[in-house]
Every structure is written in structure tokens, then in C-alpha cells.
Amino acid sequence: MPIAEYAVRLALYEAEQALSGLVQNLPNRCAALLLHVVMFPLGKRESAPKDKLVHQVAADMQQHGETLERLTRFRFHPQGDVEKADEPLAVLKPAMEAVRQTSKLEQALRKAEAKGRLTAEKPSAKISEAVEKGLIPAEQDDQVREARCLVKIAITVDGFDMDLNEANPKPFEFRMF
């Protein structure tokens, strides 16, 4: 139950921080000192969740298993088609799976780039260069491109007017996009 432990530890830590902040900001210093002694007789005892626990929770969330399904069972399930990419949430699950499948290839690309073995500017050109230099198998370059495309669709924000260069003649009028 690492997620429950994480949630409880974080809630207790944040509650202690909030109470401490309240006491510190009291205008009456005598009352603040008295409340501090009453509320924290042994001092502050809670700490933020440890990194090991945070990493375990993150790993659990990235494994499309029982934990993730249990936590997201009441979320909105889009009816959009993944192929048409008309609904970013419909692409989320395939994008996570594609990222998981290409993680070793992406790691190889990052290492090669850090060592200066890839000189191309554009990401798609870097993939082609990596294939030419034998850093990643030629039959898997489409897999990397597809994963990157799905991620781009999943994280694209489209909740604003795309015509940012045009002045709005009626700035206080509600506009449907």
C-alpha cells in the first residue's frame, strides 16, 4: 500500500506545516509561543515522504496494472478515436504503453546525444542519424517516432484561441473556439 502510505505521510506533513505557519503568523507573540508549546510539545515531527517511497509510487503509476486502474476507474473515458487524435485522453493509455516500450531506445538516444554522437538539430533527424550510425535498430525507428507522436498528442494543450496574433475587437465578449 505505498500509495496510501504516501498520501497519509504527505497529508500529515502538510497539516503540520500549515499549523506551524498559522502559529508563526499570530500577531500576539505570547499566544503564539503558548500555542507552539501546546501543539508541538516535542517539536515538529513529520517529514515529507522519502524519495524511495515517492519513486515506488511513481513506478506503480507507470505500470498499467491494478493500481492505476483502481485509481482511475471513475475518470472520464473518451469516445474519440486514437487514429484521428481528436481526443487527447483517448491517446493517453496508448502513449504510456508506447513510451514504456521505447524507453531503452530513448535512453540510447539521450546517451548518444550527451556524448556528442548525434549532431542533428531536429528530433526526427536525430532518430534518422541514430539509425544510420547503428545506435538503434532500423526496424524500431518507426516505433520511436510513433511513441513521440502519441506523447505530443497527449500533452498538447488546445484550450485557448489559436489566433493569438489577431486582436479581439470585443475583449469582454465570450468567444467559442
PDB file of all heavy atoms in Angstrom, residues 105-144:
ATOM      1  N   LEU A 105      15.256   2.520 -26.069  1.00  0.00           N
ATOM      2  CA  LEU A 105      15.710   3.204 -27.285  1.00  0.00           C
ATOM      3  C   LEU A 105      15.915   4.695 -27.023  1.00  0.00           C
ATOM      4  O   LEU A 105      16.911   5.282 -27.460  1.00  0.00           O
ATOM      5  CB  LEU A 105      14.696   2.999 -28.411  1.00  0.00           C
ATOM      6  CG  LEU A 105      14.465   1.562 -28.861  1.00  0.00           C
ATOM      7  CD1 LEU A 105      13.286   1.481 -29.809  1.00  0.00           C
ATOM      8  CD2 LEU A 105      15.716   1.002 -29.503  1.00  0.00           C
ATOM      9  N   GLU A 106      14.982   5.292 -26.301  1.00  0.00           N
ATOM     10  CA  GLU A 106      15.107   6.721 -25.959  1.00  0.00           C
ATOM     11  C   GLU A 106      16.324   6.956 -25.075  1.00  0.00           C
ATOM     12  O   GLU A 106      17.020   7.951 -25.223  1.00  0.00           O
ATOM     13  CB  GLU A 106      13.833   7.215 -25.262  1.00  0.00           C
ATOM     14  CG  GLU A 106      12.635   7.336 -26.156  1.00  0.00           C
ATOM     15  CD  GLU A 106      12.676   8.515 -27.111  1.00  0.00           C
ATOM     16  OE1 GLU A 106      13.635   9.311 -27.081  1.00  0.00           O
ATOM     17  OE2 GLU A 106      11.731   8.641 -27.896  1.00  0.00           O
ATOM     18  N   GLN A 107      16.583   6.020 -24.175  1.00  0.00           N
ATOM     19  CA  GLN A 107      17.758   6.140 -23.306  1.00  0.00           C
ATOM     20  C   GLN A 107      19.035   6.086 -24.142  1.00  0.00           C
ATOM     21  O   GLN A 107      19.967   6.860 -23.915  1.00  0.00           O
ATOM     22  CB  GLN A 107      17.748   5.026 -22.264  1.00  0.00           C
ATOM     23  CG  GLN A 107      18.859   5.124 -21.247  1.00  0.00           C
ATOM     24  CD  GLN A 107      18.774   4.015 -20.202  1.00  0.00           C
ATOM     25  OE1 GLN A 107      18.100   3.017 -20.393  1.00  0.00           O
ATOM     26  NE2 GLN A 107      19.463   4.213 -19.104  1.00  0.00           N
ATOM     27  N   ALA A 108      19.078   5.211 -25.127  1.00  0.00           N
ATOM     28  CA  ALA A 108      20.245   5.125 -26.008  1.00  0.00           C
ATOM     29  C   ALA A 108      20.416   6.425 -26.800  1.00  0.00           C
ATOM     30  O   ALA A 108      21.546   6.906 -26.980  1.00  0.00           O
ATOM     31  CB  ALA A 108      20.095   3.939 -26.959  1.00  0.00           C
ATOM     32  N   LEU A 109      19.307   7.006 -27.254  1.00  0.00           N
ATOM     33  CA  LEU A 109      19.381   8.275 -27.982  1.00  0.00           C
ATOM     34  C   LEU A 109      19.909   9.397 -27.087  1.00  0.00           C
ATOM     35  O   LEU A 109      20.743  10.204 -27.510  1.00  0.00           O
ATOM     36  CB  LEU A 109      18.003   8.654 -28.542  1.00  0.00           C
ATOM     37  CG  LEU A 109      17.500   7.820 -29.716  1.00  0.00           C
ATOM     38  CD1 LEU A 109      16.039   8.142 -30.013  1.00  0.00           C
ATOM     39  CD2 LEU A 109      18.361   8.056 -30.935  1.00  0.00           C
ATOM     40  N   ARG A 110      19.416   9.456 -25.846  1.00  0.00           N
ATOM     41  CA  ARG A 110      19.882  10.501 -24.919  1.00  0.00           C
ATOM     42  C   ARG A 110      21.366  10.357 -24.610  1.00  0.00           C
ATOM     43  O   ARG A 110      22.101  11.345 -24.561  1.00  0.00           O
ATOM     44  CB  ARG A 110      19.060  10.475 -23.632  1.00  0.00           C
ATOM     45  CG  ARG A 110      17.687  11.094 -23.772  1.00  0.00           C
ATOM     46  CD  ARG A 110      17.027  11.319 -22.422  1.00  0.00           C
ATOM     47  NE  ARG A 110      16.879  10.100 -21.652  1.00  0.00           N
ATOM     48  CZ  ARG A 110      15.861   9.252 -21.759  1.00  0.00           C
ATOM     49  NH1 ARG A 110      14.895   9.498 -22.607  1.00  0.00           N
ATOM     50  NH2 ARG A 110      15.795   8.164 -21.015  1.00  0.00           N
ATOM     51  N   LYS A 111      21.823   9.125 -24.412  1.00  0.00           N
ATOM     52  CA  LYS A 111      23.245   8.892 -24.130  1.00  0.00           C
ATOM     53  C   LYS A 111      24.105   9.295 -25.321  1.00  0.00           C
ATOM     54  O   LYS A 111      25.152   9.923 -25.160  1.00  0.00           O
ATOM     55  CB  LYS A 111      23.495   7.429 -23.776  1.00  0.00           C
ATOM     56  CG  LYS A 111      23.091   7.062 -22.373  1.00  0.00           C
ATOM     57  CD  LYS A 111      23.433   5.609 -22.077  1.00  0.00           C
ATOM     58  CE  LYS A 111      23.022   5.236 -20.670  1.00  0.00           C
ATOM     59  NZ  LYS A 111      23.296   3.813 -20.381  1.00  0.00           N
ATOM     60  N   ALA A 112      23.673   8.923 -26.514  1.00  0.00           N
ATOM     61  CA  ALA A 112      24.428   9.268 -27.716  1.00  0.00           C
ATOM     62  C   ALA A 112      24.482  10.786 -27.911  1.00  0.00           C
ATOM     63  O   ALA A 112      25.516  11.337 -28.287  1.00  0.00           O
ATOM     64  CB  ALA A 112      23.807   8.597 -28.939  1.00  0.00           C
ATOM     65  N   GLU A 113      23.377  11.438 -27.627  1.00  0.00           N
ATOM     66  CA  GLU A 113      23.345  12.899 -27.762  1.00  0.00           C
ATOM     67  C   GLU A 113      24.256  13.557 -26.722  1.00  0.00           C
ATOM     68  O   GLU A 113      24.966  14.516 -27.023  1.00  0.00           O
ATOM     69  CB  GLU A 113      21.912  13.411 -27.605  1.00  0.00           C
ATOM     70  CG  GLU A 113      21.762  14.867 -27.907  1.00  0.00           C
ATOM     71  CD  GLU A 113      20.315  15.317 -27.882  1.00  0.00           C
ATOM     72  OE1 GLU A 113      19.434  14.532 -27.503  1.00  0.00           O
ATOM     73  OE2 GLU A 113      20.081  16.479 -28.233  1.00  0.00           O
ATOM     74  N   ALA A 114      24.261  13.034 -25.504  1.00  0.00           N
ATOM     75  CA  ALA A 114      25.104  13.593 -24.450  1.00  0.00           C
ATOM     76  C   ALA A 114      26.592  13.427 -24.781  1.00  0.00           C
ATOM     77  O   ALA A 114      27.407  14.277 -24.428  1.00  0.00           O
ATOM     78  CB  ALA A 114      24.791  12.926 -23.113  1.00  0.00           C
ATOM     79  N   LYS A 115      26.925  12.337 -25.474  1.00  0.00           N
ATOM     80  CA  LYS A 115      28.321  12.092 -25.846  1.00  0.00           C
ATOM     81  C   LYS A 115      28.714  12.823 -27.129  1.00  0.00           C
ATOM     82  O   LYS A 115      29.847  12.723 -27.571  1.00  0.00           O
ATOM     83  CB  LYS A 115      28.566  10.593 -26.015  1.00  0.00           C
ATOM     84  CG  LYS A 115      28.508   9.829 -24.712  1.00  0.00           C
ATOM     85  CD  LYS A 115      28.733   8.351 -24.941  1.00  0.00           C
ATOM     86  CE  LYS A 115      28.657   7.592 -23.633  1.00  0.00           C
ATOM     87  NZ  LYS A 115      28.809   6.143 -23.842  1.00  0.00           N
ATOM     88  N   GLY A 116      27.752  13.512 -27.743  1.00  0.00           N
ATOM     89  CA  GLY A 116      28.049  14.261 -28.963  1.00  0.00           C
ATOM     90  C   GLY A 116      28.044  13.425 -30.224  1.00  0.00           C
ATOM     91  O   GLY A 116      28.518  13.869 -31.268  1.00  0.00           O
ATOM     92  N   ARG A 117      27.488  12.224 -30.162  1.00  0.00           N
ATOM     93  CA  ARG A 117      27.462  11.352 -31.339  1.00  0.00           C
ATOM     94  C   ARG A 117      26.322  11.693 -32.286  1.00  0.00           C
ATOM     95  O   ARG A 117      26.333  11.266 -33.434  1.00  0.00           O
ATOM     96  CB  ARG A 117      27.378   9.900 -30.890  1.00  0.00           C
ATOM     97  CG  ARG A 117      28.646   9.475 -30.115  1.00  0.00           C
ATOM     98  CD  ARG A 117      28.516   8.126 -29.504  1.00  0.00           C
ATOM     99  NE  ARG A 117      28.485   7.073 -30.538  1.00  0.00           N
ATOM    100  CZ  ARG A 117      28.262   5.805 -30.269  1.00  0.00           C
ATOM    101  NH1 ARG A 117      28.032   5.416 -29.031  1.00  0.00           N
ATOM    102  NH2 ARG A 117      28.248   4.912 -31.235  1.00  0.00           N
ATOM    103  N   LEU A 118      25.326  12.433 -31.792  1.00  0.00           N
ATOM    104  CA  LEU A 118      24.223  12.875 -32.645  1.00  0.00           C
ATOM    105  C   LEU A 118      24.330  14.391 -32.807  1.00  0.00           C
ATOM    106  O   LEU A 118      24.349  15.123 -31.821  1.00  0.00           O
ATOM    107  CB  LEU A 118      22.867  12.506 -32.028  1.00  0.00           C
ATOM    108  CG  LEU A 118      22.587  11.016 -31.853  1.00  0.00           C
ATOM    109  CD1 LEU A 118      21.244  10.804 -31.175  1.00  0.00           C
ATOM    110  CD2 LEU A 118      22.610  10.310 -33.191  1.00  0.00           C
ATOM    111  N   THR A 119      24.387  14.834 -34.043  1.00  0.00           N
ATOM    112  CA  THR A 119      24.594  16.269 -34.295  1.00  0.00           C
ATOM    113  C   THR A 119      23.393  16.948 -34.932  1.00  0.00           C
ATOM    114  O   THR A 119      23.389  18.160 -35.078  1.00  0.00           O
ATOM    115  CB  THR A 119      25.816  16.462 -35.215  1.00  0.00           C
ATOM    116  OG1 THR A 119      25.601  15.733 -36.428  1.00  0.00           O
ATOM    117  CG2 THR A 119      27.086  15.986 -34.523  1.00  0.00           C
ATOM    118  N   ALA A 120      22.375  16.180 -35.331  1.00  0.00           N
ATOM    119  CA  ALA A 120      21.199  16.755 -35.986  1.00  0.00           C
ATOM    120  C   ALA A 120      20.453  17.674 -35.027  1.00  0.00           C
ATOM    121  O   ALA A 120      20.490  17.499 -33.811  1.00  0.00           O
ATOM    122  CB  ALA A 120      20.274  15.648 -36.479  1.00  0.00           C
ATOM    123  N   GLU A 121      19.785  18.656 -35.589  1.00  0.00           N
ATOM    124  CA  GLU A 121      19.042  19.634 -34.781  1.00  0.00           C
ATOM    125  C   GLU A 121      17.637  19.146 -34.433  1.00  0.00           C
ATOM    126  O   GLU A 121      17.209  19.245 -33.292  1.00  0.00           O
ATOM    127  CB  GLU A 121      18.939  20.974 -35.530  1.00  0.00           C
ATOM    128  CG  GLU A 121      20.261  21.693 -35.684  1.00  0.00           C
ATOM    129  CD  GLU A 121      20.797  22.199 -34.359  1.00  0.00           C
ATOM    130  OE1 GLU A 121      20.006  22.685 -33.547  1.00  0.00           O
ATOM    131  OE2 GLU A 121      22.014  22.095 -34.149  1.00  0.00           O
ATOM    132  N   LYS A 122      16.920  18.651 -35.418  1.00  0.00           N
ATOM    133  CA  LYS A 122      15.525  18.251 -35.209  1.00  0.00           C
ATOM    134  C   LYS A 122      15.455  16.844 -34.626  1.00  0.00           C
ATOM    135  O   LYS A 122      16.259  15.974 -34.970  1.00  0.00           O
ATOM    136  CB  LYS A 122      14.760  18.296 -36.528  1.00  0.00           C
ATOM    137  CG  LYS A 122      14.618  19.689 -37.082  1.00  0.00           C
ATOM    138  CD  LYS A 122      13.790  19.680 -38.337  1.00  0.00           C
ATOM    139  CE  LYS A 122      13.603  21.087 -38.847  1.00  0.00           C
ATOM    140  NZ  LYS A 122      12.775  21.117 -40.057  1.00  0.00           N
ATOM    141  N   PRO A 123      14.460  16.600 -33.760  1.00  0.00           N
ATOM    142  CA  PRO A 123      14.319  15.261 -33.167  1.00  0.00           C
ATOM    143  C   PRO A 123      14.166  14.143 -34.195  1.00  0.00           C
ATOM    144  O   PRO A 123      14.762  13.078 -34.048  1.00  0.00           O
ATOM    145  CB  PRO A 123      13.073  15.386 -32.298  1.00  0.00           C
ATOM    146  CG  PRO A 123      12.985  16.836 -31.971  1.00  0.00           C
ATOM    147  CD  PRO A 123      13.516  17.553 -33.186  1.00  0.00           C
ATOM    148  N   SER A 124      13.387  14.379 -35.247  1.00  0.00           N
ATOM    149  CA  SER A 124      13.209  13.327 -36.260  1.00  0.00           C
ATOM    150  C   SER A 124      14.512  13.053 -36.995  1.00  0.00           C
ATOM    151  O   SER A 124      14.812  11.902 -37.342  1.00  0.00           O
ATOM    152  CB  SER A 124      12.106  13.722 -37.249  1.00  0.00           C
ATOM    153  OG  SER A 124      12.452  14.922 -37.909  1.00  0.00           O
ATOM    154  N   ALA A 125      15.313  14.097 -37.215  1.00  0.00           N
ATOM    155  CA  ALA A 125      16.608  13.910 -37.872  1.00  0.00           C
ATOM    156  C   ALA A 125      17.578  13.161 -36.952  1.00  0.00           C
ATOM    157  O   ALA A 125      18.428  12.393 -37.430  1.00  0.00           O
ATOM    158  CB  ALA A 125      17.189  15.257 -38.274  1.00  0.00           C
ATOM    159  N   LYS A 126      17.446  13.365 -35.651  1.00  0.00           N
ATOM    160  CA  LYS A 126      18.304  12.642 -34.695  1.00  0.00           C
ATOM    161  C   LYS A 126      18.010  11.143 -34.740  1.00  0.00           C
ATOM    162  O   LYS A 126      18.920  10.319 -34.647  1.00  0.00           O
ATOM    163  CB  LYS A 126      18.101  13.177 -33.280  1.00  0.00           C
ATOM    164  CG  LYS A 126      18.760  14.511 -33.052  1.00  0.00           C
ATOM    165  CD  LYS A 126      18.574  14.976 -31.633  1.00  0.00           C
ATOM    166  CE  LYS A 126      19.140  16.382 -31.516  1.00  0.00           C
ATOM    167  NZ  LYS A 126      18.983  16.957 -30.213  1.00  0.00           N
ATOM    168  N   ILE A 127      16.740  10.806 -34.894  1.00  0.00           N
ATOM    169  CA  ILE A 127      16.376   9.387 -34.984  1.00  0.00           C
ATOM    170  C   ILE A 127      16.981   8.780 -36.245  1.00  0.00           C
ATOM    171  O   ILE A 127      17.589   7.704 -36.207  1.00  0.00           O
ATOM    172  CB  ILE A 127      14.842   9.206 -34.961  1.00  0.00           C
ATOM    173  CG1 ILE A 127      14.275   9.662 -33.619  1.00  0.00           C
ATOM    174  CG2 ILE A 127      14.468   7.743 -35.228  1.00  0.00           C
ATOM    175  CD1 ILE A 127      12.767   9.723 -33.572  1.00  0.00           C
ATOM    176  N   SER A 128      16.860   9.489 -37.367  1.00  0.00           N
ATOM    177  CA  SER A 128      17.431   9.001 -38.625  1.00  0.00           C
ATOM    178  C   SER A 128      18.943   8.850 -38.522  1.00  0.00           C
ATOM    179  O   SER A 128      19.520   7.864 -38.998  1.00  0.00           O
ATOM    180  CB  SER A 128      17.084   9.959 -39.768  1.00  0.00           C
ATOM    181  OG  SER A 128      15.691  10.047 -39.927  1.00  0.00           O
ATOM    182  N   GLU A 129      19.593   9.834 -37.902  1.00  0.00           N
ATOM    183  CA  GLU A 129      21.041   9.782 -37.725  1.00  0.00           C
ATOM    184  C   GLU A 129      21.443   8.603 -36.833  1.00  0.00           C
ATOM    185  O   GLU A 129      22.433   7.918 -37.102  1.00  0.00           O
ATOM    186  CB  GLU A 129      21.541  11.098 -37.124  1.00  0.00           C
ATOM    187  CG  GLU A 129      23.034  11.191 -36.998  1.00  0.00           C
ATOM    188  CD  GLU A 129      23.505  12.507 -36.383  1.00  0.00           C
ATOM    189  OE1 GLU A 129      22.661  13.359 -36.030  1.00  0.00           O
ATOM    190  OE2 GLU A 129      24.731  12.655 -36.236  1.00  0.00           O
ATOM    191  N   ALA A 130      20.655   8.351 -35.796  1.00  0.00           N
ATOM    192  CA  ALA A 130      20.946   7.224 -34.898  1.00  0.00           C
ATOM    193  C   ALA A 130      20.822   5.899 -35.631  1.00  0.00           C
ATOM    194  O   ALA A 130      21.614   4.979 -35.399  1.00  0.00           O
ATOM    195  CB  ALA A 130      20.014   7.261 -33.689  1.00  0.00           C
ATOM    196  N   VAL A 131      19.858   5.783 -36.535  1.00  0.00           N
ATOM    197  CA  VAL A 131      19.699   4.564 -37.324  1.00  0.00           C
ATOM    198  C   VAL A 131      20.887   4.406 -38.261  1.00  0.00           C
ATOM    199  O   VAL A 131      21.460   3.321 -38.387  1.00  0.00           O
ATOM    200  CB  VAL A 131      18.362   4.582 -38.106  1.00  0.00           C
ATOM    201  CG1 VAL A 131      18.304   3.458 -39.118  1.00  0.00           C
ATOM    202  CG2 VAL A 131      17.191   4.492 -37.152  1.00  0.00           C
ATOM    203  N   GLU A 132      21.294   5.510 -38.923  1.00  0.00           N
ATOM    204  CA  GLU A 132      22.427   5.466 -39.857  1.00  0.00           C
ATOM    205  C   GLU A 132      23.714   5.037 -39.148  1.00  0.00           C
ATOM    206  O   GLU A 132      24.533   4.314 -39.710  1.00  0.00           O
ATOM    207  CB  GLU A 132      22.640   6.826 -40.508  1.00  0.00           C
ATOM    208  CG  GLU A 132      21.573   7.208 -41.506  1.00  0.00           C
ATOM    209  CD  GLU A 132      21.687   8.657 -41.968  1.00  0.00           C
ATOM    210  OE1 GLU A 132      22.718   9.314 -41.667  1.00  0.00           O
ATOM    211  OE2 GLU A 132      20.755   9.128 -42.626  1.00  0.00           O
ATOM    212  N   LYS A 133      23.885   5.501 -37.909  1.00  0.00           N
ATOM    213  CA  LYS A 133      25.101   5.184 -37.157  1.00  0.00           C
ATOM    214  C   LYS A 133      24.994   3.863 -36.390  1.00  0.00           C
ATOM    215  O   LYS A 133      25.918   3.484 -35.674  1.00  0.00           O
ATOM    216  CB  LYS A 133      25.428   6.323 -36.192  1.00  0.00           C
ATOM    217  CG  LYS A 133      25.838   7.593 -36.922  1.00  0.00           C
ATOM    218  CD  LYS A 133      26.213   8.692 -35.963  1.00  0.00           C
ATOM    219  CE  LYS A 133      26.686   9.919 -36.731  1.00  0.00           C
ATOM    220  NZ  LYS A 133      27.064  11.009 -35.841  1.00  0.00           N
ATOM    221  N   GLY A 134      23.839   3.185 -36.502  1.00  0.00           N
ATOM    222  CA  GLY A 134      23.666   1.892 -35.856  1.00  0.00           C
ATOM    223  C   GLY A 134      23.428   1.965 -34.353  1.00  0.00           C
ATOM    224  O   GLY A 134      23.612   0.975 -33.647  1.00  0.00           O
ATOM    225  N   LEU A 135      23.008   3.111 -33.870  1.00  0.00           N
ATOM    226  CA  LEU A 135      22.759   3.262 -32.436  1.00  0.00           C
ATOM    227  C   LEU A 135      21.435   2.639 -32.012  1.00  0.00           C
ATOM    228  O   LEU A 135      21.288   2.189 -30.882  1.00  0.00           O
ATOM    229  CB  LEU A 135      22.791   4.744 -32.038  1.00  0.00           C
ATOM    230  CG  LEU A 135      24.118   5.464 -32.323  1.00  0.00           C
ATOM    231  CD1 LEU A 135      23.976   6.947 -32.055  1.00  0.00           C
ATOM    232  CD2 LEU A 135      25.221   4.860 -31.476  1.00  0.00           C
ATOM    233  N   ILE A 136      20.467   2.654 -32.938  1.00  0.00           N
ATOM    234  CA  ILE A 136      19.195   1.973 -32.695  1.00  0.00           C
ATOM    235  C   ILE A 136      18.868   1.158 -33.942  1.00  0.00           C
ATOM    236  O   ILE A 136      19.259   1.522 -35.049  1.00  0.00           O
ATOM    237  CB  ILE A 136      18.033   2.940 -32.347  1.00  0.00           C
ATOM    238  CG1 ILE A 136      17.738   3.907 -33.484  1.00  0.00           C
ATOM    239  CG2 ILE A 136      18.300   3.684 -31.068  1.00  0.00           C
ATOM    240  CD1 ILE A 136      16.483   4.739 -33.279  1.00  0.00           C
ATOM    241  N   PRO A 137      18.167   0.036 -33.789  1.00  0.00           N
ATOM    242  CA  PRO A 137      17.839  -0.802 -34.953  1.00  0.00           C
ATOM    243  C   PRO A 137      16.912  -0.069 -35.923  1.00  0.00           C
ATOM    244  O   PRO A 137      15.996   0.661 -35.508  1.00  0.00           O
ATOM    245  CB  PRO A 137      17.132  -2.013 -34.345  1.00  0.00           C
ATOM    246  CG  PRO A 137      17.473  -1.989 -32.897  1.00  0.00           C
ATOM    247  CD  PRO A 137      17.745  -0.575 -32.537  1.00  0.00           C
ATOM    248  N   ALA A 138      17.141  -0.268 -37.213  1.00  0.00           N
ATOM    249  CA  ALA A 138      16.346   0.406 -38.249  1.00  0.00           C
ATOM    250  C   ALA A 138      14.869   0.045 -38.165  1.00  0.00           C
ATOM    251  O   ALA A 138      14.008   0.881 -38.437  1.00  0.00           O
ATOM    252  CB  ALA A 138      16.898   0.062 -39.629  1.00  0.00           C
ATOM    253  N   GLU A 139      14.583  -1.201 -37.769  1.00  0.00           N
ATOM    254  CA  GLU A 139      13.174  -1.625 -37.717  1.00  0.00           C
ATOM    255  C   GLU A 139      12.414  -1.015 -36.533  1.00  0.00           C
ATOM    256  O   GLU A 139      11.198  -1.132 -36.460  1.00  0.00           O
ATOM    257  CB  GLU A 139      13.035  -3.147 -37.719  1.00  0.00           C
ATOM    258  CG  GLU A 139      13.823  -3.914 -36.691  1.00  0.00           C
ATOM    259  CD  GLU A 139      15.282  -4.166 -37.072  1.00  0.00           C
ATOM    260  OE1 GLU A 139      15.713  -3.870 -38.186  1.00  0.00           O
ATOM    261  OE2 GLU A 139      15.990  -4.666 -36.197  1.00  0.00           O
ATOM    262  N   GLN A 140      13.121  -0.355 -35.619  1.00  0.00           N
ATOM    263  CA  GLN A 140      12.440   0.234 -34.462  1.00  0.00           C
ATOM    264  C   GLN A 140      12.359   1.758 -34.517  1.00  0.00           C
ATOM    265  O   GLN A 140      11.828   2.365 -33.598  1.00  0.00           O
ATOM    266  CB  GLN A 140      13.141  -0.202 -33.177  1.00  0.00           C
ATOM    267  CG  GLN A 140      12.940  -1.677 -32.894  1.00  0.00           C
ATOM    268  CD  GLN A 140      13.581  -2.114 -31.599  1.00  0.00           C
ATOM    269  OE1 GLN A 140      14.667  -1.687 -31.259  1.00  0.00           O
ATOM    270  NE2 GLN A 140      12.886  -2.960 -30.870  1.00  0.00           N
ATOM    271  N   ASP A 141      12.842   2.375 -35.581  1.00  0.00           N
ATOM    272  CA  ASP A 141      12.767   3.833 -35.634  1.00  0.00           C
ATOM    273  C   ASP A 141      11.327   4.319 -35.756  1.00  0.00           C
ATOM    274  O   ASP A 141      10.955   5.339 -35.187  1.00  0.00           O
ATOM    275  CB  ASP A 141      13.652   4.408 -36.745  1.00  0.00           C
ATOM    276  CG  ASP A 141      13.102   4.165 -38.133  1.00  0.00           C
ATOM    277  OD1 ASP A 141      12.427   3.140 -38.336  1.00  0.00           O
ATOM    278  OD2 ASP A 141      13.360   5.010 -39.017  1.00  0.00           O
ATOM    279  N   ASP A 142      10.486   3.545 -36.479  1.00  0.00           N
ATOM    280  CA  ASP A 142       9.070   3.923 -36.578  1.00  0.00           C
ATOM    281  C   ASP A 142       8.378   3.833 -35.220  1.00  0.00           C
ATOM    282  O   ASP A 142       7.483   4.627 -34.922  1.00  0.00           O
ATOM    283  CB  ASP A 142       8.337   3.030 -37.581  1.00  0.00           C
ATOM    284  CG  ASP A 142       8.694   3.373 -39.019  1.00  0.00           C
ATOM    285  OD1 ASP A 142       9.155   4.508 -39.258  1.00  0.00           O
ATOM    286  OD2 ASP A 142       8.525   2.502 -39.896  1.00  0.00           O
ATOM    287  N   GLN A 143       8.800   2.877 -34.421  1.00  0.00           N
ATOM    288  CA  GLN A 143       8.234   2.716 -33.079  1.00  0.00           C
ATOM    289  C   GLN A 143       8.549   3.949 -32.218  1.00  0.00           C
ATOM    290  O   GLN A 143       7.685   4.457 -31.499  1.00  0.00           O
ATOM    291  CB  GLN A 143       8.796   1.449 -32.444  1.00  0.00           C
ATOM    292  CG  GLN A 143       8.107   1.007 -31.199  1.00  0.00           C
ATOM    293  CD  GLN A 143       8.695  -0.301 -30.664  1.00  0.00           C
ATOM    294  OE1 GLN A 143       9.693  -0.818 -31.179  1.00  0.00           O
ATOM    295  NE2 GLN A 143       8.069  -0.824 -29.628  1.00  0.00           N
ATOM    296  N   VAL A 144       9.770   4.449 -32.295  1.00  0.00           N
ATOM    297  CA  VAL A 144      10.163   5.637 -31.536  1.00  0.00           C
ATOM    298  C   VAL A 144       9.382   6.854 -32.037  1.00  0.00           C
ATOM    299  O   VAL A 144       8.875   7.653 -31.247  1.00  0.00           O
ATOM    300  CB  VAL A 144      11.685   5.889 -31.644  1.00  0.00           C
ATOM    301  CG1 VAL A 144      12.070   7.211 -31.003  1.00  0.00           C
ATOM    302  CG2 VAL A 144      12.453   4.753 -31.005  1.00  0.00           C
TER     303      VAL A 144
END
